[in-house]
Amino acid sequence: MESRELDALVASVPRQLFIDGRWSDAASGSHLTTLNPATGRPLAEIAAAETADVERAVAAARRAFDDGRWTGLTPMQRSRILWRVGELIERDADQLALIETLDNGKPLSSAKKVDLPQAAQHFFYHSGWCTKLEGETMPVSWPRHLAYTLREPVGVVGQIIPWNYPLIMAARNLAPALACGNTVVLKPSEETPLTALWLARLLAEAGVPEGVVNVVPGYGRTAGAALAGHPDVDRLVFTGGVVTARDVVTASAGNFKRLTLELGGKAPFIVFADADMDAALQAAVRGGFGNQGQNCCAVTRLYLHKDIAREFREKLVAATERLKIGEGREEGVEFGPLISARHRDRVESYVGIARDEGAAVLTGGERPQADGFFLKPTVLAGVTDDARVSKEEIFGPVVATYDFDGPGEAIARANSSPYGLAASVWTQDLSLAHEVARRLRVGCVWTNCFSRFDAAAPWGGVKQSGYGTGIGRHAIEEYTQPKAVWIDTATGDAVRGLPAF
Ligand code: TXE
């Protein structure tokens, strides 16, 4: 695409806050500038929400919830609107993928193959739930009583999302919340607000009524904190880092809002000696360096059985060095820049920490070029289990390798992390695979595969990876509240006096 066309595309993204179905500037006139991580240069300047704007957005969401403009539609009407959102995402997929690449830095091929289809899938899948929010009847021990549940939306939902998968995060949070009849205030990351703003326009086009979804990009300390602490937000979904999560949990105490927290990870990837080596190798490279390692489920701790460790490590280094690094739009690029200079510096500092702790840097660790926020994909060896790089989430392209002997040892070391989000196990031994999956303290285990996501499958962590499940049937539970209704059926004139049975 010519640079003039590209400028026109970026210029066509909405630049304002989307509140109550209308586009407006922040009350204070504040703006924020998003950068293109591949060049480090400004990409777009957009309105930055502050407390007063979040107040306005929550008030709009509350009105939209209370007056029933969303829940008052029939389930089938809501279902069709959400399905239509999925279709509109597909219609605009090329533009959205390009904007995502410019704003986030990820390779365009990944944006097209992963981000766009998954974003659409969340609306297609969750649209089906609108017509299936059933209550139940309970066999209570009170004679001649009928007790049943109504499954009701929780109300106004706040959603604070990060920058690593901006459109997927927006879609996968909005779709189930809306399917259940809630109204939403979504705060995208200040680093990557553009595709969420485009999505807001698609929601309106699909027929989501005014005020049902409000999108307020802004900084975490202002807009994010205002949303987390707002007394009229009934549920808050936060995806981000553990340090921020502590503030969010504290802020939520004001009105005891319910929380879903999807935080970091430190995914172990265990390769037994009988594994399909080529498949495991490919998955380790993709899992460690896909999205520049900026994944909560990225392969960060690669446990290799001692019989294959040496060969695997050599092949891993060779495959890592073959990755084509560059600006996401370039043909064949597999590895782009990190999200920001600050984040690149932080990830880079971990390479220094690893060296200081005695690790060997087998490849990577340095910046390949001056422009943009690039850092080469990095493989470490000789890392001890109690090293900081073994314990702390780096959230970048740094894979540490370890040797192990037997399954008990691999499981114990894999579990020795404060995090528990995802893990991967590679073996041809079916019994071993099931047993390891059962014993790992994580929310998701991929066996002989990696990074499988589907709107139908739950996603959530244990330990410091957070709590709650934001996707699929389990998310439906979290976005709804069962209300128990009791009826004494013996009190009507017609039935009074009839014998109980
Ligand atoms: O995330 P933050 P950052 C991890 C990863 C990374 C670290 C820091 O380890 O290195 O977090 O990244 C909003 N109240 N993950 O600083 O701060 C913020 O505006 C309310 C893991 O980018 O957690 C953004 O919208 N909200 C992760 C969102 O929180 C606040 C994805 C995430 O930002 C806030 C990203 C506040 N006080 C980072 N401060 C994953 N699990 O996928 C910030 N925010």
Side-chain angles (χ1 to χ4, degrees):
M1 195 182 258
E2 296 293 318
S3 82
R4 204 148 18 96
E5 284 175 82
L6 217 53
D7 290 347
L9 175 65
V10 174
S12 71
V13 181
R15 309 267 165 135
Q16 292 174 299
L17 315 176
F18 186 67
I19 299 176
D20 214 4
R22 282 180 287 282
W23 297 98
S24 63
D25 284 328
S28 66
S30 282
H31 283 84
L32 61 84
T33 304
T34 71
L35 305 180
N36 178 343
T39 61
R41 287 197 288 274
L43 181 64
E45 189 168 285
I46 62 158
E50 295 184 343
T51 304
D53 310 296
V54 171
E55 296 275 351
R56 202 153 58 86
V58 174
R62 172 55 59 195
R63 273 194 307 278
F65 184 76
D66 288 348
D67 71 14
R69 72 186 82 164
W70 185 232
T71 46
L73 298 182
T74 67
M76 191 58 84
Q77 283 171 325
R78 273 190 279 132
S79 175
R80 292 177 73 132
I81 290 172
L82 294 186
W83 184 272
R84 179 79 185 124
V85 177
E87 289 179 332
L88 294 176
I89 291 173
E90 287 186 332
R91 183 196 69 189
D92 290 0
D94 287 346
Q95 293 106 304
L96 280 163
L98 204 44
I99 293 163
E100 201 75 313
T101 289
L102 293 171
D103 206 10
N104 165 283
K106 63 181 66 200
L108 184 58
S109 55
S110 313
K112 284 185 171 171
K113 269 193 259 159
V114 179
D115 299 61
L116 267 298
Q118 278 196 30
Q121 194 204 32
H122 283 292
F123 282 97
F124 292 135
Y125 171 84
H126 287 103
S127 73
W129 275 106
C130 300
T131 51
K132 294 165 194 70
L133 300 175
E134 295 166 350
E136 59 212 340
T137 56
M138 284 79 64
V140 290
S141 298
W142 292 73
R144 304 184 68 172
H145 279 65
L146 171 65
Y148 64 91
T149 57
L150 296 172
R151 188 150 283 281
E152 299 183 334
V154 294
V156 174
V157 176
Q159 300 179 335
I160 299 176
I161 59 173
W163 41 262
N164 54 344
Y165 289 92
L167 185 65
I168 292 182
M169 293 285 179
R172 80 171 202 197
N173 284 310
L174 285 171
L178 293 175
C180 295
N182 300 285
T183 59
V184 183
V185 177
L186 173 81
K187 195 203 83 63
S189 167
E190 57 271 39
E191 310 275 8
T192 54
L194 299 186
T195 47
L197 291 169
W198 189 293
L199 180 61
R201 194 159 62 191
L202 298 186
L203 291 161
E205 183 181 343
V208 175
E210 292 171 357
V212 171
V213 176
N214 305 273
V215 180
V216 287
Y219 292 103
R221 293 254 153 236
T222 49
L227 192 55
H230 201 291
D232 216 13
V233 170
D234 300 298
R235 176 165 208 104
L236 189 82
V237 181
F238 172 78
T239 308
V242 283
V243 176
T244 311
R246 289 206 173 85
D247 290 342
V248 166
V249 172
T250 306
S252 74
N255 69 335
F256 302 119
K257 58 176 68 65
R258 297 151 194 230
L259 292 176
T260 302
L261 300 177
E262 192 209 315
L263 312 179
K266 196 73 194 167
F269 186 103
I270 306 170
V271 188
F272 288 96
D274 66 344
D276 177 335
M277 287 305 145
D278 289 341
L281 182 70
Q282 274 186 32
V285 173
R286 273 203 311 275
F289 304 127
N291 217 39
Q292 295 68 249
Q294 301 167 131
N295 283 336
C296 44
C297 61
V299 175
T300 53
R301 296 180 294 144
L302 181 49
Y303 294 99
L304 304 168
H305 189 271
K306 65 178 176 39
D307 292 350
I308 50 106
R310 189 192 164 99
E311 186 188 345
F312 196 97
R313 210 177 266 120
E314 280 169 11
K315 287 184 172 167
L316 175 69
V317 168
T320 302
E321 289 176 349
R322 278 197 301 274
L323 287 173
K324 184 170 174 191
I325 304 174
E327 204 265 305
R329 287 180 305 133
E330 248 176 72
E331 192 62 33
V333 160
E334 298 160 292
F335 186 90
L338 273 65
I339 190 67
S340 64
R342 185 174 68 97
H343 188 58
R344 189 261 319 273
D345 294 351
R346 181 179 170 276
V347 174
E348 195 177 37
S349 77
Y350 271 102
V351 180
I353 291 168
R355 280 200 180 97
D356 292 346
E357 289 179 319
V361 178
L362 301 185
T363 186
E366 76 248 0
R367 306 179 184 193
Q369 59 193 64
D371 285 347
F373 311 135
F374 290 90
L375 183 71
K376 280 190 179 174
T378 305
V379 178
L380 305 176
V383 182
T384 59
D385 286 0
D386 56 4
R388 280 183 64 191
V389 290
S390 299
K391 299 281 180 208
E392 297 173 19
E393 185 179 44
I394 300 174
F395 215 65
V398 181
V399 174
T401 62
Y402 312 79
D403 294 11
F404 74 91
D405 199 350
E409 179 197 337
I411 294 163
R413 291 172 69 189
N415 281 340
S416 71
S417 167
Y419 293 101
L421 189 57
S424 181
V425 183
W426 292 78
T427 177
Q428 303 294 327
D429 180 337
L430 192 62
S431 307
L432 178 64
H434 281 296
E435 190 58 15
V436 176
R438 202 172 63 77
R439 286 171 185 252
L440 287 172
R441 288 200 58 212
V442 292
C444 171
V445 180
W446 290 301
T447 305
N448 293 332
C449 60
F450 193 81
S451 195
R452 299 293 192 260
F453 286 98
D454 195 284
W459 179 250
V462 299
K463 299 197 270 183
Q464 287 185 35
S465 293
Y467 45 76
T469 310
I471 304 174
R473 185 167 62 77
H474 302 82
I476 300 302
E477 301 276 322
E478 296 189 9
Y479 280 118
T480 55
Q481 162 77 23
K483 178 190 278 173
V485 182
W486 292 69
I487 301 181
D488 182 344
T489 61
T491 54
D493 284 346
V495 293
R496 195 171 291 123
L498 285 179
F501 67 91

